[in-house]
Amino acid sequence: WNLMVRPDGRVVFLDWEAYEPFGLPLWDLFYFFRSYAIAAGRRAGVRDGVDASAAHMLGESALADRFVSAVLAYRERIDLPAAAIEPLLLGCWIHRALKEPSRLTEKRLQGGLSASLIRRTLGSSGAPTLRRFADG
């Protein structure tokens, strides 16, 4: 839904939901990888979106390798300090969690995807992917 293939075959990424000319870096990339990790998890039989996201965004996998290389390339291109990546990741999920009350019932809110990703990320200090980001 946020991809367009140009006539020349190049893929263009679009995100008008949170577009800001000087918005926070990496958020669109985090959203993209979260969505892709969930889809990849479903194809592999993982039904829980948090488990699928965490496996590829915090753990070790071929997709995690792609995630790390994309984030580090972006970081290098804009000269972002390596220490900023993990706080940006958490900020991204916090931003998304603030939107969840508009579409989830109060009963389901604690188990919302973004709130659950915040808890999982905070509980994964030293996770392989986070270590690789810190090492830059």
Side-chain angles (χ1 to χ4, degrees), residues 30 57-58 67 84-93 121 130 133:
F30 295 152
M57 296 183 79
L58 299 172
F67 179 52
I85 297 172
E86 188 173 345
L88 283 166
L89 180 64
L90 281 165
C92 178
W93 303 149
T121 303
L130 299 178
F133 289 151

Side-chain angles (χ1 to χ4, degrees), residues 25-133:
L26 290 170
W27 278 17
D28 289 339
L29 187 58
F30 295 152
Y31 293 146
F32 173 76
F33 267 92
R34 184 208 61 200
S35 298
Y36 193 85
I38 290 171
R42 284 189 182 131
R43 281 191 296 277
V46 178
R47 288 283 167 242
D48 185 280
V50 176
D51 287 343
S53 296
H56 300 297
M57 296 183 79
L58 299 172
E60 295 185 60
S61 70
L63 185 53
D65 292 343
R66 300 283 275 191
F67 179 52
V68 169
S69 67
V71 169
L72 293 180
Y74 188 114
R75 181 191 80 76
E76 184 178 315
R77 184 171 183 149
I78 66 167
D79 198 27
L80 181 73
I85 297 172
E86 188 173 345
L88 283 166
L89 180 64
L90 281 165
C92 178
W93 303 149
I94 291 167
H95 177 259
R96 295 300 301 172
L98 291 171
K99 292 182 171 203
E100 286 181 344
S102 68
R103 64 183 199 345
L104 295 177
T105 64
E106 186 175 338
K107 185 177 178 179
R108 292 188 60 214
L109 196 54
Q110 282 297 318
L113 178 62
S114 298
S116 297
L117 282 171
I118 293 166
R119 286 190 293 277
R120 184 73 62 95
T121 303
L122 287 171
S124 298
S125 170
T129 300
L130 299 178
R131 277 196 320 266
R132 290 169 68 187
F133 289 151

